[in-house]
Amino acid sequence: MLSLFSEGIFTPHTLLDERVIDVLSAATQRCSGTVRPSDILYSAIDSGDQAVLSGLALALTEGARPQHLLESIAAYNPRSPDGGDFDFDGRRERFAPETLAALDGFATEFARDPDRLRPVCLELLVARVLDHPDAGDRRFLRILDATAAARTLRDQVRVTTEPPPPLLDDAGRLRSEEFSADAWAVLEQSAERAGELGYDRLLPPHCFLALLGETEGLTERLVRLQIPPQLGLAKVAELLGGAFRLSQHGKETPPLHRDGLGEPTLDLLRRARRAATVWGAEQVDTPHLLDALLEDPPPRLASVFRTDPLRVDLARMRELLAQSVRETRTSGPREIAFRLPADSPPAEDLTWLARTQGIPAARHLERYFDTLGRALHRTSDNHVLITGPAGVGTTTLVRELARRAAAGELPFLRRKRLLRVDCRDVPDTDSGAKLARIIAHVAGRTDLVVCLDGLGALLRGPHGTDHVQALRSALKERRIHLIGILSGQEYDDLLAADHALRELTTRIDMTEPDRATARDMVRQAADALEAEFGTEVADRVVDRAVVLSGDYILAQRMPLAAVKVLRRACEDLDYRRTQLGDTRTVVDTDDVVRVIAEMSGVPAGQIAGTGDDGIDYEQALGGSVFGQRDALEVVANELRRIKAGVAGASGGPASVMLFAGLTGTGKTELAKTVAGFYSSSKRLQTYPMENFSEAHSVAGIIGSPPGYIGFERGGRLINELNADPYCVFLLDEAEKAHAEVWRPFLNLFDEGWIIDQRGVKAHGDRAIFILTTNAGQEIIALMSREGRPEEEIVARVKEALLQVGKGAHGGPVFSPEFLARIRRIIVFRPLDLDAMTGICRKLVERQRAFWRDKREKELIVPEALILHAARQGHLRNERSGGKEGGRIVAKILSDLIESPVLLEQQRRKDEFRRCARIELDFRPEGAGADGRGPRTDVRFVAADDSTAPATDSATSIDTDTSIDTGTGTGTGTDGAGHG
């Protein structure tokens, strides 16, 4: 065991370290008979050892300097009056008990690993001395926090003796996670200055120039304290730049890489990291860089500062630096968000967000985190691709990763920074340039994990090209650490066939949560909405939002669909409270129903009647189509199949249906209702197939061939599918199209995808395609009158479809292969009297809404008029063999309602302008002036005359509805129940 005493005599030379031997010898020479701890401390400070001084400086009170420690010790423990002539015999009795305890402890610790500890044995000795102060030290050295100083010195010992993490990664790049944002910016600026001055490597003086260039930075303030007042910082920078300029012609900026960093710079960075550790910082910041420069300044830099006109004392600057750091060391480095260039896609620094504002914890993602953590932790091939439909939580998974990393729950990501880039709206014409710009901007940043949200859009190029090779190259060269978010279809189209890229990445496929899990996730989101809007959202309201949005908003996935519903309900309530004076603070189920009605297009009354067991699709669809119970049942079953998630199992679209039947029976109206119910845009994309009667007209579907006008626009169908994957397409009067037009649909209806002339691919697996046809309408009318079953009528209609077009184009319009790809052929039967009555009621209500909303007048229509119009419509439809359909009702109502009201409006303008209500009195056939037609009496009632009896203000209009005399005006003619 090592001892500093040999046979009771002090023998410090056994340590074989000149620094410690000199300090201990000086302590024995200054002591007054007994060596006290303060003698050793005084000698260590007086030696001028920078490591000891920097450690002590951080533990001094504000305004104090190491020199003040010497003055204090000299006051309460003055040196021996005999000075160097004092005869110190080195016996143990000459040492104070506290000093002996410090020396014995030091010797014991040093003996454990002398070779490793010898370079820092002075720091270790002073730390032991500070651990054992005597009474005088505790009383008079109050400007020094001895415990903090000892801890700092031990940190220096640990940093020096333990192998530090490498500054460079295995690719030779400087590890940016070791540096704060400000320090990294200084290093980047240093490299630029090196290139400007003609250097091909970054050297320490360039770092000082960059530190000096920080706006209102610490280096600027410290230099200002010493330079003559007439000198400005610009002049200082000019003098330094001139001293280190190699050439008037700059060079390329050296990279922050092994090839661009000189060995002196690497030594500087090692010292800076040691200073950061000693000062209790996790990352190297700009003060640590400056301290490393001042600890061992380059000779030429020191010479420029020492000579005229600067005359700067670098040692004094280091003391002031330590004082400044001591005052601010608890604040840590500034938290700065990482930003992409202005012309890049929108981006957010999730790590900065988590540390400064907080990210709420997300639930039910644990099953993905083990795979995600293991993939990111790998030293190679550590990229991740997250796939899944929008709304299931792909972005939330990344935000939760950032939250856990910022909270220290994932230690290997503690110094990493997660940057999310929203690439979902990048057009294919710009995708290549934006991908290259993002990669170029983050290249070399080992602390960045870049999440490209919408990676599929960023990889698709114009005219069917892609940028997969560029991405693969960047991943192989480790220019970017990637988390990509894209749909499963995009993964299959763009990446699944690239074996090399799949080797570089780990795929995590996210699926829609079950309803119970979705409830819990939405409940968490509701808690956040309550805090944001100051409202209350009960569990019952959350349950209804989950059930109803899952049933009615088929174009969106859980949990996002329900969260959107609740957010809008809270926003609407907030509007009513802040703008309309509503005092209610609770979001109820009526608010949820109203929002879902707006988003789905389904009437609120139908939604409100939905029970917890789910939606009655027949009722929801039946509000707009009448007399087609069998057709509604088939379409409702298709929607249930889509909602259950089994529609994509066959590989084709969500559904392909053919509506067959006479005109005006509700085919188009039902298609519109399905679109409002299902499509994201709520619009029915209609293709009148009579416009595709020539073989070349297929260009209207898949685009013009190369070299023809319109080639760049691509195919309309492909563009619309890519714009709204949940689109509903109406291929109207399908039998009028040329057979060649249906050829691209064969693969679309079978495999679920289609390619246009540019090579752009679109998936239709979430779209609904509805074809309508009048082919076989005579068969439908005849067999319906005979009461034939639905299956038999469908079989005969299918036979009729195979005969359509034979002879006209040399072959049938519909091939057997095409008809085999249609999931459902749905028959629309002729309309009976009840159906006509329902259509009449709907059209009358539409007219009433028009007068109420557009003219601010109430229209009163008697029941007798509605029943008469229905009977007349049914009679005329029967006489025409069912060819009139529901459209005839609009014409009849126009004659019975619109024409009389408009005629009286022209005759009695003043009365019409003053009236608040228009009352109609209907008299059936035989009441007209000529004894033939029905008569409609029109009465204008003013707001203050609502109870007055009928007078001459009421005018009788004879309306002959026995013949077709006109078309509807103002309210439209495509009423419910007709297509």
Side-chain angles (χ1 to χ4, degrees):
M1 177 178 176
L2 177 69
S3 174
L4 293 177
F5 294 88
S6 176
E7 297 181 357
I9 303 301
F10 186 55
T11 53
H13 62 275
T14 57
L15 292 171
L16 301 179
D17 182 78
E18 293 298 328
R19 292 192 305 158
V20 174
I21 293 172
D22 290 344
V23 166
L24 290 177
S25 297
T28 60
Q29 293 171 11
R30 84 169 300 275
C31 72
S32 298
T34 302
V35 180
R36 299 171 60 182
S38 54
D39 291 315
I40 300 177
L41 179 60
Y42 185 101
S43 300
I45 298 172
D46 194 43
S47 71
D49 188 274
Q50 291 297 315
V52 172
L53 292 178
S54 63
L56 296 175
L58 293 174
L60 291 172
T61 59
E62 183 176 354
R65 298 167 53 190
Q67 181 64 32
H68 298 151
L69 286 174
L70 294 179
E71 295 170 358
S72 298
I73 294 173
Y76 76 87
N77 182 22
R79 69 182 295 120
S80 169
D82 298 325
D85 297 329
F86 174 67
D87 184 16
F88 182 78
D89 56 17
R91 291 183 294 114
R92 286 185 66 93
E93 292 79 8
R94 295 290 189 181
F95 292 85
E98 295 84 1
T99 308
L100 286 174
L103 292 175
D104 290 342
F106 163 73
T108 301
E109 187 171 352
F110 181 77
R112 293 172 185 165
D113 195 347
D115 292 335
R116 183 174 63 91
L117 294 175
R118 185 166 285 110
V120 288
C121 61
L122 179 58
E123 292 93 319
L124 183 59
L125 172 64
V126 177
R128 282 290 183 174
V129 168
L130 292 172
D131 287 339
H132 298 86
D134 61 18
D137 299 334
R138 287 190 290 270
R139 179 178 179 185
F140 296 107
L141 290 185
R142 294 183 178 179
I143 63 171
L144 176 69
D145 185 340
T147 303
R151 183 172 58 248
T152 300
L153 291 168
R154 281 198 172 83
D155 285 340
Q156 288 186 358
V157 172
R158 177 175 54 81
V159 171
T160 305
T161 57
E162 292 180 357
L167 279 171
L168 305 176
D169 68 5
D170 53 8
R173 299 175 300 174
L174 188 62
R175 298 176 67 238
S176 54
E177 62 264 35
E178 296 292 327
F179 301 88
S180 70
D182 285 335
W184 188 260
V186 164
L187 292 174
E188 290 179 324
Q189 185 64 31
S190 302
E192 292 180 10
R193 293 305 306 270
E196 292 169 1
L197 295 174
Y199 291 78
D200 57 6
R201 287 196 171 195
L202 172 61
L203 296 175
H206 308 138
C207 293
F208 193 93
L209 285 169
L211 286 167
L212 192 61
E214 278 193 298
T215 304
E216 298 184 359
L218 178 59
T219 305
E220 173 188 328
R221 297 200 303 271
L222 296 179
V223 170
R224 283 186 185 276
L225 289 174
Q226 295 197 59
I227 62 174
Q230 65 271 19
L231 284 181
L233 286 175
K235 183 62 175 178
V236 176
E238 180 184 343
L239 290 170
L240 292 174
F244 291 97
R245 181 174 294 280
L246 288 181
S247 170
Q248 295 298 324
H249 305 288
K251 292 186 177 182
E252 290 188 3
T253 300
L256 296 178
H257 183 276
R258 182 187 295 111
D259 299 334
L261 299 170
E263 190 58 35
T265 304
L266 291 174
D267 288 339
L268 167 72
L269 297 179
R270 293 186 188 102
R271 294 196 303 272
R273 184 170 56 187
R274 185 175 69 244
T277 304
V278 169
W279 293 354
E282 289 193 357
Q283 292 177 308
V284 175
D285 201 6
T286 52
H288 311 134
L289 290 174
L290 179 57
D291 182 75
L293 276 163
L294 297 177
E295 179 184 349
D296 186 15
R300 197 190 316 175
L301 180 66
S303 176
V304 173
F305 273 113
R306 280 197 301 264
T307 58
D308 290 331
L310 297 181
R311 293 290 181 182
V312 172
D313 183 350
L314 295 183
R316 173 61 178 154
M317 184 185 294
R318 194 178 187 203
E319 288 182 6
L320 295 172
L321 169 64
Q323 180 179 333
S324 176
V325 170
R326 186 168 65 246
E327 295 169 355
T328 61
R329 65 185 303 183
T330 57
S331 61
R334 291 189 304 160
E335 191 64 52
I336 302 174
F338 183 87
R339 299 188 185 280
L340 291 176
D343 54 351
S344 302
E348 59 178 345
D349 186 336
L350 295 178
T351 302
W352 175 86
L353 188 66
R355 289 174 178 169
T356 59
Q357 302 178 24
I359 295 177
R363 301 173 183 170
H364 302 293
L365 295 176
E366 288 302 325
R367 57 180 171 145
Y368 303 114
F369 259 94
D370 180 60
T371 304
L372 180 61
R374 285 188 288 107
L376 292 174
H377 185 260
R378 297 184 183 117
T379 56
S380 61
D381 304 339
N382 56 353
H383 310 285
V384 175
L385 296 175
I386 302 174
T387 61
V392 300
T394 51
T395 303
T396 302
L397 179 62
V398 176
R399 291 173 63 87
E400 175 64 10
L401 177 68
R403 186 196 68 79
R404 295 189 183 190
E409 297 178 26
L410 300 169
F412 77 97
L413 290 177
R414 183 168 50 89
R415 295 186 181 181
K416 297 286 187 178
R417 188 170 290 274
L418 270 76
L419 179 72
R420 175 181 170 267
V421 187
D422 187 354
C423 309
R424 293 172 293 183
D425 297 324
V426 174
D428 56 10
T429 53
D430 298 339
S431 57
K434 291 190 180 295
L435 176 62
R437 195 173 298 119
I438 292 171
I439 293 174
H441 193 70
V442 304
R445 291 296 298 261
T446 60
D447 65 323
L448 278 180
V449 180
V450 182
C451 171
L452 298 180
D453 194 348
L455 178 62
L458 204 60
L459 292 179
R460 293 190 188 276
H463 311 308
T465 60
D466 62 58
H467 313 300
V468 175
Q469 184 176 356
L471 178 66
R472 184 175 65 245
S473 175
L475 298 183
K476 278 187 175 181
E477 297 170 8
R478 301 175 70 175
R479 285 181 284 140
I480 185 173
H481 190 181
L482 175 71
I483 296 177
I485 297 178
L486 67 168
S487 69
Q489 294 170 349
E490 291 169 332
Y491 179 88
D492 293 339
D493 286 351
L494 297 166
L495 306 177
D498 194 318
H499 176 74
L501 191 140
R502 286 192 286 110
E503 287 291 320
L504 293 167
T505 59
T506 299
R507 181 183 181 184
I508 297 176
D509 189 44
M510 297 187 66
T511 57
E512 187 173 21
D514 58 50
R515 186 157 286 184
T517 301
R519 277 194 180 97
D520 194 38
M521 298 170 80
V522 176
R523 176 67 263 176
Q524 183 183 20
D527 294 340
L529 291 172
E530 287 179 334
E532 180 180 352
F533 293 100
T535 59
E536 180 182 341
V537 183
D539 289 342
R540 170 66 176 170
V541 176
V542 171
D543 292 344
R544 297 297 286 165
V546 171
V547 171
L548 296 179
S549 59
D551 286 341
Y552 287 95
I553 307 177
L554 301 182
Q556 298 180 21
R557 301 298 180 96
M558 287 294 172
L560 184 61
V563 173
K564 284 185 175 181
V565 168
L566 289 179
R567 169 166 285 278
R568 185 175 296 185
C570 290
E571 289 173 341
D572 291 349
L573 179 58
D574 184 65
Y575 170 78
R576 293 193 297 272
R577 290 167 54 195
T578 59
Q579 306 301 317
L580 305 180
D582 194 339
T583 59
R584 189 161 58 93
T585 60
V586 178
V587 175
D588 57 27
T589 54
D590 290 341
D591 297 318
V592 170
V593 168
R594 182 171 57 254
V595 170
I596 292 180
E598 293 174 358
M599 297 175 70
S600 67
V602 179
Q606 294 182 17
I607 297 174
T610 303
D612 288 337
D613 294 335
I615 180 176
D616 184 349
Y617 285 105
E618 287 86 346
Q619 180 185 4
L621 297 172
S624 57
V625 178
F626 303 92
Q628 305 297 343
R629 185 182 62 185
D630 293 338
L632 292 177
E633 182 178 346
V634 175
V635 174
N637 287 335
E638 284 296 287
L639 291 176
R640 289 191 186 94
R641 175 176 164 270
I642 294 170
K643 175 179 175 291
V646 300
S650 61
S655 184
V656 180
M657 297 177 280
L658 187 145
F659 292 174
L662 288 77
T663 184
T665 53
K667 300 187 296 294
T668 302
E669 190 67 21
L670 183 55
K672 289 180 180 178
T673 304
V674 171
F677 203 92
Y678 181 77
S679 172
S680 299
S681 64
K682 310 305 174 190
R683 294 177 58 245
L684 179 67
Q685 299 291 352
T686 302
Y687 287 66
M689 300 311 291
E690 63 183 1
N691 297 337
F692 299 86
S693 58
E694 302 294 335
H696 63 79
S697 59
V698 71
I701 303 291
I702 61 173
S704 303
Y708 285 78
I709 295 175
F711 168 74
E712 295 81 5
R713 293 195 297 270
R716 175 188 168 189
L717 180 63
I718 285 78
N719 293 337
E720 289 176 346
L721 274 173
N722 283 328
D724 181 8
Y726 290 88
C727 202
V728 177
F729 293 91
L730 175 65
L731 309 177
D732 200 19
E733 297 186 300
E735 74 278 5
K736 296 182 180 180
H738 193 281
E740 286 298 312
V741 172
W742 297 115
R743 189 174 299 277
F745 288 90
L746 289 173
N747 188 74
L748 176 60
F749 289 172
D750 186 32
E751 298 293 334
W753 54 267
I754 186 172
I755 299 178
D756 69 6
Q757 295 282 12
R758 301 169 300 171
V760 175
K761 188 176 187 179
H763 288 270
D765 62 325
R766 286 169 283 177
I768 294 177
F769 291 86
I770 298 174
L771 295 76
T772 66
T773 180
N774 294 331
Q777 59 182 355
E778 294 85 1
I779 296 174
I780 294 173
L782 176 61
M783 298 182 74
S784 296
R785 286 195 297 270
E786 295 175 354
R788 300 292 183 87
E790 186 80 8
E791 295 80 3
E792 188 175 339
I793 299 176
V794 169
R796 290 292 303 277
V797 168
K798 193 170 184 178
E799 293 174 4
L801 291 173
L802 290 171
Q803 303 303 314
V804 172
K806 276 193 173 180
H809 304 296
V813 171
F814 304 114
S815 66
E817 296 83 3
F818 179 81
L819 291 180
R821 285 163 167 78
I822 296 175
R823 271 193 53 81
R824 294 282 188 248
I825 296 178
I826 301 171
V827 172
F828 283 69
R829 297 174 180 270
L831 300 176
D832 56 18
L833 179 59
D834 289 341
M836 286 293 187
T837 304
I839 295 170
C840 280
R841 295 190 190 281
K842 181 177 179 179
L843 293 181
V844 167
E845 185 55 39
R846 188 180 296 176
Q847 289 196 20
R848 295 186 63 196
F850 169 80
W851 283 98
R852 180 175 60 252
D853 298 337
K854 302 296 184 181
R855 304 294 178 84
E856 297 182 348
K857 300 181 188 299
E858 185 180 3
L859 177 66
I860 305 299
V861 180
E863 179 70 9
L865 187 152
I866 295 174
L867 297 177
H868 173 80
R871 286 193 296 270
Q872 287 295 315
H874 182 253
L875 178 62
R876 294 189 191 186
N877 188 47
E878 288 291 316
R879 289 175 181 173
S880 69
K883 295 181 180 180
E884 290 284 359
R887 292 187 177 89
I888 189 61
V889 174
K891 302 175 183 178
I892 296 172
L893 290 176
S894 178
D895 292 338
L896 294 175
I897 299 176
E898 293 174 353
S899 295
V901 171
L902 294 177
L903 180 60
E904 288 308 299
Q905 176 186 348
Q906 293 297 320
R907 289 179 179 176
R908 298 144 57 194
K909 294 181 180 179
D910 291 341
E911 291 182 51
F912 176 80
R913 190 166 50 251
R914 293 193 305 269
C915 79
R917 190 167 73 242
I918 303 172
E919 294 182 353
L920 303 182
D921 184 27
F922 179 75
R923 303 185 186 184
E925 298 184 23
D930 56 4
R932 287 192 308 115
R935 188 177 78 183
T936 302
D937 294 337
V938 180
R939 181 179 177 219
F940 298 144
V941 180
D944 54 357
D945 192 29
S946 58
T947 59
T951 65
D952 291 341
S953 295
T955 303
S956 298
I957 304 296
D958 293 338
T959 307
D960 185 4
T961 59
S962 62
I963 59 174
D964 185 9
T965 59
T967 59
T969 61
T971 60
T973 61
D974 190 13
H978 48 86

